Amino acid sequence: MSNFLTEFPEMPNKQFREFKKGVDASYKDFAREWGDFIDAMFEPLLKMLVFFEKTLIATPWPIFMIVLLGLTYWGSRSYKLVIGTFLAFVFIGYFRMWDETMSTIAIILTSVIMSVVIGLPTGIAMSRSDRTQSIVTPILDIMQTMPPFVYLIPIVMLMGIGKIPGLIAVVIYAIPPLIRLTNLGIREVDKEALEAADAFGATKKQKLYQVQLPLALPTIFAGINQTIMMALAMVIIASMIGVKGLGQPVLQSIYNQYFTKGVLYGLAIVIVAIVFDRVSQSYGQRIQKHRSGKIV
Amino acid sequence: MSEAKIQIKNLYKIFGKNPSAAMEHVKNGVGKDELLEKHNHVLGLKDINLDIQSESIQVVMGLSGSGKSTLIRHINRLIEPTDGSVTVDGDEVLKMNEEQLRSFRRSKTAMVFQRFALLPHKTVLQNTIFGLHIQNIAEEDAKKSALRWIERVGLSGYEDKYPQHLSGGMQQRVGLARALTNDGDILLMDEAFSALDPLIRKDMQDILLELQDELQKTVVFITHDLDEALKIGDRIAILKDGIMDQEGIPAEILLDPKTKYVKDFVEDVNRARVIKAKHIMSEINGQDLNGAMPIDQDEFIDRFIDKVIAEKPDNLLIQDKDKKNVGFLSTQKLSEILKR
Ligand SMILES: Nc1ncnc2c1ncn2[C@@H]1O[C@H](COP(=O)(O)OP(=O)(O)OP(=O)(O)O)[C@@H](O)[C@H]1O
Ligand SMILES: [Mg+2]
């Protein structure tokens, strides 16, 4: 009796071991059977990522700089930001971190594209049905609270170490805010604007493209911004499973206690993050100028 | 009288979880307050019957929460009724499927909203063109028509501005231009001018009346303002707690209010400005009308009262446009009507 109270009535050790073995074995079987197929499925994605990476690295740095600064200006219309971006990338280049930065930008680019391609329709579907919302929300909760290391394990078992599993891990980590904010943005669209569209005989699709998405765009954009930030934060963890870029040297520095190297590469990540954040945010604000999210 | 353009018959709307159950109570005479308190349902409309004639302005008036918006939204079925029927040109709106309803809304009706409901990410022109745009009408034609109405409501030069850069009055002009560009026979206006300053509001009323002279649409105009109702309406329906208290021409409502609610509404109105000679004239039946003062039947009392006081005739001879005698009005009756 006293035993029962002090020790939780747990599963016997032997059974527990078999349980773990069983699950492991069946997942391994699944991985063996489907691994190649899944690899093949993600092949186009890998091609895209490699293409971005190769292109970015092969691009002469002055051209990259001009394009980047042009984009910064186009997005933000701010010379201050353009100068800041220029100095930041001079720092990165001078301290020999250019190629890694290009790799990181390539994976951010790919994972953000993938997040938008998956996240936007998911968010739209969620906004259109309370049932879908009640199913997707807990999944997003799990994705956001589960430590990334936990879902790295099955991904690696399934696909091994490499770019694609890293990419998938980044997307799982970074996609929830985009889905949530797309859903929220569409649900918050003014009822009167929708009623007006209805009164003029708009179809569901016309309402989506001409009213809901445009009015939700600032919120959706805030979601994309968060997705970019979270993807960057995930870069170090993703480097543990073979994603090249700024994360790998940081990881190396931790193992080998290279202080300066760690700090430099860490700074580079911060720089890329700040530049991406500022540019995408000021772009987001700029598109809101004559359209405060509210209906007038 | 020809068949009404819009016919509303025995229309009921109850908001809540189980409207059909609540219907029983309503049919047994449970009122709005009791229905909410005891049965947790909101009575939106109860047994509304209203015929709206083609090419006329029907005003629906009532205090906040009386069901005005609910009623007007049944005409283009933005709200589904609990029971009853709405027909437009003889077609039952409530029987239309999704596709038919959409094409009905596109071709027959257009709506103007209290808070404008413009799309903030579209310019004045893009907002105005919206109704035609979603019908996939050729860009050229749509633009031509939109520009024409933008000009008619006095917004030329503002085509590329965003709604936010316009004042409330100008925004509602866009709302009006958007509705007119759609070119349906029916114009639904839900407190379209209520959010505007008095002066701008008067402007908008004048614009509407001027356009109506020319366009002859069937207008359903919601307001909670009696002066506006009297100025604009060919007929006025008065709603209270979802029930239609009275319906008739303005003079009828003023001279013969049927309930206390309506009486309270019309108490302080300056009748001379609202009642026309024809509303209060009597039939000519062999009376001696020698020396009677001729008055046009469409003159408001305040337009001829000064002349009456100056010349002190015993009778007024009421005539139509072609100077044909259509009735008479004794000065005594006139003074009684003004005193009451
Ligand atoms: N979707 C809804 N659910 C529950 N009750 C509603 C709903 N829409 C309207 N009502 C109720 O129905 C009644 C009539 O509302 P309605 O909006 O038609 O009034 P109104 O005369 O247009 O008032 P206002 O002048 O304030 O616009 C009100 O008591 C309102 O609270
Ligand atoms: Mg209303």
Side-chain angles (χ1 to χ4, degrees):
Chain A
M1 187 66 204
S2 67
N3 231 1
F4 178 79
L5 285 179
T6 49
E7 267 175 51
F8 198 89
E10 58 192 7
M11 196 186 221
N13 199 4
K14 188 159 161 265
Q15 243 168 293
F16 183 53
R17 231 177 320 157
E18 308 237 298
F19 162 76
K20 284 191 292 188
K21 248 202 241 158
V23 174
D24 282 354
S26 51
Y27 186 74
K28 268 184 196 145
D29 286 347
F30 168 79
R32 205 172 309 127
E33 200 144 322
W34 291 96
D36 289 342
F37 174 75
I38 291 170
D39 277 348
M41 211 172 69
F42 283 105
E43 184 69 23
L45 207 60
L46 182 63
K47 284 218 173 95
M48 179 161 88
L49 176 56
V50 171
F51 170 77
F52 280 147
E53 197 173 351
K54 282 207 171 123
T55 312
L56 283 172
I57 292 177
T59 307
W61 70 265
I63 293 181
F64 175 86
M65 206 65 131
I66 289 167
V67 172
L68 178 73
L69 297 181
L71 280 177
T72 306
Y73 182 73
W74 174 77
S76 66
R77 297 286 146 87
S78 149
Y79 286 111
K80 249 171 70 191
L81 206 52
V82 172
I83 293 167
T85 304
F86 176 75
L87 293 179
F89 275 80
V90 166
F91 171 84
I92 286 173
Y94 187 71
F95 283 99
R96 313 172 64 96
M97 301 183 287
W98 190 269
D99 284 2
E100 287 91 342
T101 304
M102 294 304 117
S103 299
T104 295
I105 291 177
I107 190 165
I108 299 297
L109 216 56
T110 316
S111 53
V112 169
I113 289 172
M114 201 173 153
S115 297
V116 171
V117 167
I118 300 170
L120 206 58
T122 311
I124 291 169
M126 242 174 121
S127 72
R128 306 198 128 194
S129 128
D130 288 340
R131 227 181 104 79
T132 312
Q133 178 175 253
S134 68
I135 295 169
V136 177
T137 304
I139 298 176
L140 295 180
D141 290 341
I142 294 173
M143 283 162 74
Q144 285 188 301
T145 45
M146 175 103 65
F149 294 103
V150 177
Y151 53 75
L152 284 183
I153 301 164
I155 294 175
V156 170
M157 280 171 73
L158 196 59
M159 314 186 68
I161 289 209
K163 288 185 162 75
I164 287 298
L167 190 68
I168 292 171
V170 173
V171 170
I172 291 177
Y173 186 73
I175 203 172
L178 175 60
I179 298 177
R180 278 188 211 275
L181 286 169
T182 302
N183 174 40
L184 181 74
I186 293 178
R187 280 176 185 265
E188 272 183 342
V189 164
D190 193 286
K191 294 285 168 294
E192 289 183 36
L194 281 176
E195 193 177 42
D198 271 330
F200 283 92
T203 60
K204 272 195 173 145
K205 206 166 131 193
Q206 287 171 330
K207 275 192 287 183
L208 180 65
Y209 286 115
Q210 301 208 29
V211 183
Q212 291 172 304
L213 283 181
L215 291 187
L217 201 59
T219 313
I220 294 174
F221 216 81
I224 293 179
N225 173 276
Q226 283 194 32
T227 294
I228 297 174
M229 292 302 102
M230 292 182 66
L232 265 165
M234 189 65 183
V235 157
I236 296 188
I237 297 177
S239 67
M240 293 174 66
I241 54 171
V243 171
K244 280 202 279 182
L246 294 169
Q248 274 190 339
V250 174
L251 207 62
Q252 252 175 30
S253 310
I254 295 173
Y255 294 148
N256 301 315
Q257 304 181 3
Y258 297 149
F259 173 70
T260 318
K261 184 173 179 179
V263 168
L264 280 178
Y265 279 91
L267 273 177
I269 292 175
V270 172
I271 284 170
V272 174
I274 290 178
V275 168
F276 276 33
D277 179 61
R278 292 300 182 280
V279 173
S280 66
Q281 255 189 34
S282 55
Y283 177 71
Q285 277 162 11
R286 200 162 63 79
I287 57 172
Q288 285 187 62
K289 266 238 165 98
H290 27 242
R291 49 159 90 165
S292 79
K294 267 174 38 204
I295 190 94
V296 281
Chain B
M1 209 183 268
S2 64
E3 175 141 294
K5 178 91 178 169
I6 303 169
Q7 290 186 310
I8 297 170
K9 285 215 183 78
N10 308 110
L11 191 70
Y12 284 81
K13 176 64 188 182
I14 293 159
F15 295 103
K17 283 222 169 70
N18 190 352
S20 40
M23 262 300 271
E24 287 304 307
H25 303 302
V26 172
K27 286 204 161 146
N28 291 333
V30 171
K32 180 163 176 158
D33 294 339
E34 193 185 343
L35 190 73
L36 181 60
E37 223 151 84
K38 289 205 184 137
H39 307 286
N40 207 17
H41 278 68
V42 177
L43 179 57
L45 294 171
K46 177 179 175 183
D47 200 15
I48 302 291
N49 289 281
L50 182 62
D51 281 2
I52 300 173
Q53 298 303 325
S54 175
E55 305 181 0
S56 73
I57 302 186
Q58 171 76 56
V59 166
V60 178
M61 198 175 70
L63 298 177
S64 193
S66 56
K68 306 180 297 289
S69 298
T70 308
L71 178 58
I72 202 172
R73 277 165 178 68
H74 276 90
I75 296 173
N76 58 356
R77 207 169 139 194
L78 287 174
I79 296 181
E80 295 286 336
T82 309
D83 197 18
S85 124
V86 177
T87 58
V88 172
D89 290 332
D91 296 330
E92 176 65 66
V93 177
L94 305 174
K95 290 219 177 79
M96 293 177 182
N97 63 28
E98 206 174 312
E99 186 58 45
Q100 290 165 328
L101 181 62
R102 201 154 48 229
S103 101
F104 164 77
R105 285 171 176 168
R106 288 175 174 189
S107 61
K108 285 234 166 120
T109 65
M111 200 159 184
V112 185
F113 297 85
Q114 176 169 5
R115 299 202 306 126
F116 321 137
L118 301 176
L119 300 173
H121 60 290
K122 291 183 188 277
T123 62
V124 168
L125 178 62
Q126 290 167 339
N127 265 292
T128 308
I129 224 165
F130 182 75
L132 300 182
H133 198 171
I134 57 180
Q135 296 177 45
N136 299 318
I137 285 176
E139 191 69 24
E140 278 298 298
D141 301 341
K143 202 170 156 187
K144 224 164 81 189
S145 156
L147 286 173
R148 190 172 125 234
W149 290 113
I150 288 175
E151 198 206 318
R152 280 308 301 273
V153 300
L155 282 180
S156 292
Y158 290 92
E159 291 85 357
D160 296 327
K161 291 264 185 295
Y162 286 88
Q164 245 179 339
H165 298 148
L166 305 181
S167 68
M170 287 163 109
Q171 288 185 33
Q172 195 58 303
R173 284 168 197 244
V174 181
L176 193 57
R178 174 174 69 176
L180 292 171
T181 303
N182 230 36
D183 200 27
D185 305 338
I186 298 174
L187 197 53
L188 303 172
M189 305 182 71
D190 186 3
E191 301 211 30
F193 304 151
S194 296
L196 306 176
D197 296 335
L199 275 181
I200 293 167
R201 191 165 175 177
K202 187 180 165 302
D203 279 352
M204 293 299 287
Q205 292 165 353
D206 293 339
I207 292 178
L208 178 66
L209 288 176
E210 193 190 310
L211 287 167
Q212 173 65 0
D213 253 359
E214 173 187 328
L215 302 173
Q216 297 293 311
K217 302 213 178 232
T218 307
V219 182
V220 183
F221 190 97
I222 305 273
T223 181
H224 55 242
D225 180 59
L226 183 65
D227 286 331
E228 187 168 70
L230 293 169
K231 175 171 177 181
I232 285 181
D234 292 317
R235 298 183 71 87
I236 300 176
I238 297 186
L239 276 183
K240 185 199 179 206
D241 292 349
I243 299 169
M244 203 161 79
D245 262 23
Q246 191 171 356
E247 201 276 331
I249 61 168
E252 242 168 56
I253 305 258
L254 275 190
L255 295 172
D256 187 18
K258 290 271 191 286
T259 65
K260 182 166 179 313
Y261 179 71
V262 181
K263 222 175 266 168
D264 289 346
F265 242 123
V266 300
E267 210 166 46
D268 298 324
V269 175
N270 177 357
R271 294 164 172 226
R273 281 177 51 187
V274 181
I275 299 174
K276 294 176 174 175
K278 69 175 176 190
H279 295 142
I280 48 176
M281 66 189 184
S282 318
E283 237 175 89
I284 300 175
N285 230 337
Q287 289 87 352
D288 174 20
L289 295 173
N290 257 343
M293 190 168 114
I295 298 286
D296 188 295
Q297 63 168 353
D298 282 315
E299 284 283 11
F300 289 107
I301 295 177
D302 73 342
R303 301 292 285 276
F304 59 77
I305 189 75
D306 288 345
K307 233 166 82 186
V308 172
I309 291 168
E311 297 182 16
K312 299 197 178 58
D314 289 336
N315 289 300
L316 311 179
L317 184 60
I318 315 300
Q319 301 180 321
D320 68 7
K321 277 206 300 281
D322 308 322
K323 302 287 176 206
K324 223 182 100 214
N325 299 344
V326 290
F328 82 103
L329 173 62
S330 70
T331 320
Q332 195 190 345
K333 186 176 174 192
L334 176 63
S335 83
E336 265 165 30
I337 281 169
L338 290 179
K339 259 188 281 179
R340 223 191 307 169

